[in-house]
């Protein structure tokens, strides 16, 4: 079958039945699942135990239907089938880059689409999860930002992205060690802190011992700087924090990131300095996209170091050479300019690796995600 498909396209796994958001038990807390069972007449004494069983099947074994839940009686399975759902969204497209990066475009029942990217590396496998359809922000260097916000994703839809990735990577039952998906970054489409409650609920399921059981140290939330929610994120989720900084002065940052008008650099850096996670010796990551002749000078590099040191933030810097996309007005700096920028920061005691661009050939690289159907999209028949 693969021989008949264009290079870089993998067969789309047709869900046995696509999920119904209103009936889905995915993305509900343990207590909410127990409450749903009570509503359909399951004896109250059994509800907690049954909820535990269902959670185990969903998050440990990856069950896509109640029929797979073999330690639940046939009658109970029939009842669950009648009222609820643990199916998956429709996968429109599944692409594999030449570097092994994978991208899935999934479609939810209301017709909205969202992209999720998996990046395999030697020491870890990172899943890049989206939190919104489109984006609230209008950062000028970002392809996703050209697609206006359509809506927030629900906790169900956020968790579902991880389940789909594990389906494709054959990662069920959930391994305790040597996971392919070992880290999650909330760096896909959207601003996660503008969808705080749903992101928080989804991440609590991901971190739950009875759920996917991924440590909060293996989850990174990337924000463009929604200052009030940064404080909440530290207190209520405690995950790693990554800040999309991209400029070292308010004038440049406001030009390329209009959110800076609302939350300027001083407020942002103060929130970072007080972030709950850094008390546990965890560094904050500052993401910095290098745009030719905009923010890539030696002076910019030195001011970035000064900014981090002035606020006494334990930090590392992720340098991202700009990834071009159709219609963008920016250029990527030369490799020598990128290397010099990195060296200046390293030489002053702050780690500043250049992030290797991954998945560029399938538009899966940083800032390239966009769910609108591109004209160039290949039409792939769903394989059953």
């Amino acid at each position: 079958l693969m021989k008949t498909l264009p290079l870089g396209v993998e067969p789309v796994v047709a869900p046995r039945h696509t999920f119904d958001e209103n009936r889905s038990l995915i993305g509900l807390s343990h207590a909410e699942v127990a409450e749903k069972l009570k509503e359909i007449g399951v004896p109250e004494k059994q509800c907690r135990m049954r909820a535990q069983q269902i959670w185990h099947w969903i998050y440990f074994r990856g069950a896509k239907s109640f029929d797979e839940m073999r330690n639940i009686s046939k009658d109970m399975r029939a009842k669950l089938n009648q009222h609820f759902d643990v199916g998956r969204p429709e996968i429109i497209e599944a692409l594999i880059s030449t570097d092994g990066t994978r991208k899935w475009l999934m479609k939810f029942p209301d017709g909205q689409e969202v992209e999720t990217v998996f990046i395999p590396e030697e020491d870890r496998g990172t899943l890049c999860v989206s939190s919104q359809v489109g984006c609230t922000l209008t950062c000028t260097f970002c392809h996703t930002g050209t697609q206006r916000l359509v809506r927030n994703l629900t906790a169900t839809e956020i968790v579902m992205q991880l389940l789909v990735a594990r389906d494709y990577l054959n990662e069920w039952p959930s391994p305790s060690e040597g996971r392919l998906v070992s880290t999650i970054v909330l760096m896909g489409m959207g601003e996660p802190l503008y969808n705080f409650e749903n992101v928080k609920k989804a991440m609590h399921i991901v971190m739950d011992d009875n759920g996917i059981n991924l440590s909060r140290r293996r989850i990174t939330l990337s924000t463009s700087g929604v200052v009030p929610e940064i404080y909440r994120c530290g207190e209520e989720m405690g995950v790693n924090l990554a800040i999309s900084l991209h400029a070292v002065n308010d004038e440049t940052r406001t030009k390329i990131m209009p959110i800076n008008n609302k939350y300027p650099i001083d407020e942002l850096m103060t929130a970072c300095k007080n972030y709950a996670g850094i008390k546990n010796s965890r560094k904050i990551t500052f993401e910095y996209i290098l745009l030719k002749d905009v923010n890539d000078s030696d002076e910019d590099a030195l001011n970035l170091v000064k900014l981090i040191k002035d606020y006494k933030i334990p930090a590392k810097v992720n340098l991202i050479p700009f990834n071009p996309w159709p219609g963008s007005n920016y250029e990527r700096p030369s490799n020598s300019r990128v290397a010099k920028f990195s060296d200046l920061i390293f030489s002053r005691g702050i780690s500043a690796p250049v992030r290797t661009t991954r998945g560029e050939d399938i538009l899966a690289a940083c800032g390239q995600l966009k769910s609108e159907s591109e004209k160039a999209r290949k039409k792939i028949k769903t394989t059953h």
Side-chain angles (χ1 to χ4, degrees):
L1 175 62
M2 282 299 285
K3 286 177 185 169
T4 65
L5 288 167
L7 182 69
V9 177
E10 68 175 320
V12 172
V13 179
R16 266 165 273 189
H17 70 276
T18 53
F19 86 117
D20 178 340
E21 174 86 40
N22 299 318
R23 289 160 46 99
S24 184
L25 295 182
I26 294 166
L28 299 186
S29 71
H30 200 279
E32 286 172 327
V33 173
E35 189 55 39
K36 290 271 189 193
L37 297 176
K38 189 177 158 189
E39 285 170 15
I40 63 163
V42 175
E44 198 163 347
K45 285 182 198 164
Q46 286 184 29
C47 286
R48 201 162 158 229
M49 181 266 289
R50 292 285 183 213
Q52 184 91 15
Q53 286 177 316
I54 290 166
W55 254 56
H56 177 82
W57 280 103
I58 293 173
Y59 299 117
F60 186 79
R61 299 195 171 275
K64 299 174 196 64
S65 74
F66 295 108
D67 298 329
E68 294 172 51
M69 302 183 181
R70 292 182 296 278
N71 59 348
I72 296 175
S73 72
K74 207 170 177 182
D75 290 350
M76 178 61 77
R77 292 201 304 259
K79 195 167 194 172
L80 292 171
N81 268 320
Q82 194 183 336
H83 295 279
F84 306 122
D85 186 1
V86 288
R88 304 289 195 255
E90 183 185 350
I91 308 299
I92 302 290
E93 190 172 72
L95 300 178
I96 307 179
S97 165
T98 52
D99 63 22
T101 298
R102 291 165 175 253
K103 181 170 80 169
W104 298 282
L105 178 68
M106 51 195 85
K107 187 176 190 174
F108 295 117
D110 67 350
Q112 295 303 337
E113 299 171 359
V114 78
E115 290 183 336
T116 307
V117 174
F118 174 70
I119 304 164
E121 294 173 79
E122 274 184 33
D123 56 340
R124 65 185 181 276
T126 301
L127 191 69
C128 193
V129 172
S130 293
S131 55
Q132 297 180 313
V133 180
C135 190
T136 332
L137 306 167
T138 51
C139 303
T140 56
F141 52 80
C142 181
H143 198 200
T144 318
T146 63
Q147 183 190 352
R148 293 287 187 264
L149 177 71
V150 180
R151 65 172 174 81
N152 283 331
L153 293 181
T154 62
T156 301
E157 292 164 334
I158 294 167
V159 172
M160 199 71 86
Q161 294 172 65
L162 177 54
L163 303 189
V164 164
R166 285 192 144 181
D167 291 346
Y168 272 81
L169 296 166
N170 293 320
E171 200 164 19
W172 303 112
S174 182
S176 54
E177 288 178 20
R179 296 177 180 212
L180 290 171
V181 181
S182 62
T183 56
I184 287 178
V185 292
L186 287 147
M187 291 183 187
M189 297 166 59
E191 165 54 71
L193 293 186
Y194 278 144
N195 186 16
F196 187 90
E197 294 301 337
N198 287 324
V199 167
K200 174 184 162 184
K201 186 177 181 186
M203 290 308 106
H204 277 289
I205 288 171
V206 169
M207 294 186 283
D208 193 293
D209 293 353
N210 298 308
I212 288 162
N213 194 19
L214 201 62
S215 157
R216 68 187 69 241
R217 286 175 173 270
R218 292 191 164 274
I219 299 171
T220 298
L221 182 144
S222 174
T223 175
S224 56
V226 187
V227 168
E229 309 301 340
I230 287 175
Y231 290 98
R232 284 189 68 197
C233 180
E235 299 298 335
E236 298 176 35
M237 280 189 263
V239 296
N240 298 321
L241 187 67
I243 300 291
S244 295
L245 188 62
H246 308 317
V248 291
N249 59 66
D250 283 323
E251 187 189 355
T252 306
R253 194 165 190 265
T254 299
K255 264 185 209 159
I256 63 175
M257 297 182 73
I259 191 174
N260 198 71
N261 273 317
K262 196 169 185 184
Y263 305 115
I265 289 175
D266 173 57
E267 285 183 37
L268 177 56
M269 297 303 279
T270 303
C272 292
K273 182 180 178 176
N274 296 310
Y275 188 69
I278 65 177
K279 297 186 189 96
N280 304 322
S281 72
R282 281 189 282 164
K283 291 181 175 177
I284 285 178
T285 301
F286 287 101
E287 292 162 322
Y288 196 96
I289 194 159
L290 288 161
L291 304 166
K292 186 180 177 183
D293 300 332
V294 176
N295 63 356
D296 64 341
S297 69
D298 288 358
E299 189 185 2
D300 287 319
L302 297 174
N303 283 336
L304 178 54
V305 171
K306 185 175 186 306
L307 194 60
I308 291 168
K309 292 192 170 177
D310 283 353
Y311 286 88
K312 299 182 172 64
I313 298 168
K316 59 180 180 179
V317 175
N318 248 350
L319 296 175
I320 310 158
F322 175 65
N323 296 310
W325 42 268
S328 60
N329 295 319
Y330 296 105
E331 290 177 53
R332 184 186 301 207
S334 67
N335 289 346
S336 59
R337 175 89 300 260
V338 170
K340 178 83 185 294
F341 197 97
S342 173
D343 289 345
L344 282 170
I345 299 170
F346 263 118
S347 68
R348 281 151 183 82
I350 295 171
S351 173
V354 178
R355 189 192 288 173
T356 313
T357 299
R358 301 292 299 269
E360 203 172 3
D361 54 327
I362 55 170
L363 282 182
C366 201
Q368 290 184 321
L369 300 190
K370 189 167 181 181
S371 69
E372 288 176 315
S373 300
E374 303 292 344
K375 285 177 187 168
R377 178 173 303 147
K378 300 177 181 77
K379 298 292 177 220
I380 311 156
K381 288 182 181 174
T382 303
T383 56
H384 293 269

